[in-house]
Amino acid sequence: MQRYFVSPEQFKEDRVDITGEDARHITKVMRGKPGDTFIVSDGVSREALVEIESIEQTSVIAVVAEPMEMDHEPRLKVTIAQSLPKGDKMETVIQKCTEIGAVTFVPFLSERTIVQYDAKKESKRLERWRKIAKEAAEQSHRNMIPAVEQPLTWKKLLETFSNYDAVCFCYEKEHGSQLRDVLRPFTAQALQEPGSTASLLLLVGPEGGFTEEECRKAEEAGAVSVGLGRRILRCETAGMTALACALYESGEMGGV
C-alpha cells in the first residue's frame, strides 16, 4: 500500500491535508479518487490508514480510517558517516541504507575525499539527498524519514563521537578486530532490556580509503577499528554491508 509522510501540522485529529508533490503524486500518478486508501505518517508519533474524502485544486483531503502502530523502526539506531564519494554514489548509499534501516546520514570530508566541496552546490545536493531519503522511507514503509545532515569536516566529525553508544571505524587494513567481534557483545549488552535502544555510528571512507593517521585519530576519539571481511568493498557497498550486519546482530533480522 502507498505511504506518504506529512508534517505534524498537516496531521489533524481525524483528517490529513496533503499538499505539494505528494498531492500531485496522488492525483496525477496514482490517479486517486474519493474512497481510495493509503497510509500517512507524520514521522514522529502518528500513523494511520486514511481515505480520500475530496480532491481540491492543490490538495488532497483524507479522513483517518484506522490508527496504526509505528513499529517498523529498529531498536539499534545506526548513523552512517560516509566520506563524500564521486558521482551519484551518495544517492545510492542514502537510498539503500534507508531501506535497510539507517536513521541518520552524515557526509564528511576526509583526506582522500576526491569530491571538491562547494557549499552552494552542496545545498542543492543536500536537498536532493533528503528527497531520496523520503522516497526510500515511503517505499520501504519506514515510520520516520532518516535525517541527512550537512557535510562535516573530519575534525568536526571526530567531535561527535561522544554522542553515540559505540563508534565503528570501517577500515580495510584492519585484520584483527572484525565488525562482529564488536557488534555481538555491544548489542547483547545494550539491548538486553525489552524496549531498550542504543546508538551506533559507522564510519565509511572514500574510494581511496582512510589513511593510517585518520585511523589513529578516530581511535583516539573513541572509535573501534573494524574489518568487514577479507574482501575489499567499494565505498558505496561498505556502509550497506556494515549496517545490515549491525541490524542482524541486534536481532532486527532474526539474529541474537
Side-chain angles (χ1 to χ4, degrees):
M1 179 171 289
Q2 188 66 41
R3 172 181 295 252
Y4 297 95
F5 284 98
V6 298
S7 68
E9 292 74 25
Q10 292 173 274
F11 209 139
K12 314 297 182 182
E13 184 176 350
D14 59 355
R15 58 186 279 154
V16 182
D17 300 335
I18 302 172
T19 58
E21 288 189 16
D22 288 336
R24 287 192 289 274
H25 186 270
I26 292 170
T27 56
K28 304 299 183 182
V29 179
M30 303 303 293
R31 300 193 179 279
K33 58 186 183 300
D36 287 351
T37 59
F38 51 88
I39 298 170
V40 168
S41 174
D42 68 1
V44 181
S45 61
R46 293 189 66 195
E47 190 162 293
L49 177 70
V50 301
E51 180 180 316
I52 296 177
E53 180 179 68
S54 63
I55 296 176
E56 311 297 335
Q57 187 172 1
T58 60
S59 66
V60 173
I61 310 302
V63 295
V64 174
E66 179 185 348
M68 300 179 69
E69 293 290 331
M70 298 183 72
D71 56 1
H72 293 179
E73 293 303 310
R75 293 167 61 200
L76 182 61
K77 310 302 180 182
V78 182
T79 293
I80 303 292
Q82 172 72 61
S83 178
L84 283 170
K86 295 185 296 183
D88 59 1
K89 293 178 182 178
M90 191 67 189
E91 296 180 7
T92 300
V93 170
I94 291 172
Q95 182 187 63
K96 300 308 178 187
C97 288
T98 293
E99 293 176 16
I100 297 169
V103 299
T104 307
F105 297 94
V106 182
F108 68 93
L109 300 166
S110 59
E111 190 171 330
R112 291 175 178 162
T113 297
I114 299 173
V115 176
Q116 295 297 312
Y117 181 76
D118 184 315
K120 186 176 294 187
K121 291 182 180 179
E122 215 58 50
S123 176
K124 292 183 178 179
R125 292 179 71 187
L126 192 61
E127 182 180 344
R128 173 160 175 74
W129 291 340
R130 288 171 175 167
K131 181 180 179 182
I132 288 170
K134 177 179 181 291
E135 291 173 348
E138 290 172 340
Q139 183 276 324
S140 57
H141 282 218
R142 296 285 300 272
N143 297 131
M144 51 84 72
I145 303 171
V148 183
E149 305 290 354
Q150 292 275 359
L152 297 179
T153 63
W154 175 246
K155 182 180 179 181
K156 288 293 185 182
L157 179 63
L158 294 179
E159 294 173 358
T160 69
F161 285 11
S162 61
N163 298 333
Y164 303 91
D165 295 318
V167 180
C168 288
F169 181 85
C170 301
Y171 191 38
E172 69 276 8
K173 293 183 180 180
E174 178 59 62
H175 301 298
S177 179
Q178 296 298 298
L179 184 62
R180 189 180 68 170
D181 299 331
V182 175
L183 290 177
R184 182 153 292 183
F186 166 65
T187 56
Q189 180 178 3
L191 302 175
Q192 62 180 326
E193 296 297 330
S196 60
T197 62
S199 60
L200 170 68
L201 175 64
L202 295 173
L203 274 75
V204 182
E207 287 84 351
F210 287 114
T211 65
E212 292 183 6
E213 176 66 10
E214 286 172 328
C215 180
R216 185 180 67 81
K217 289 289 188 182
E219 290 179 332
E220 288 178 353
V224 178
S225 176
V226 296
L228 299 179
R230 290 173 288 182
R231 292 153 298 284
I232 301 298
L233 303 178
R234 289 179 178 272
C235 65
E236 68 271 29
T237 308
M240 300 179 210
T241 301
L243 172 61
C245 289
L247 294 183
Y248 176 85
E249 289 296 338
S250 73
E252 178 70 16
M253 299 176 181
V256 293

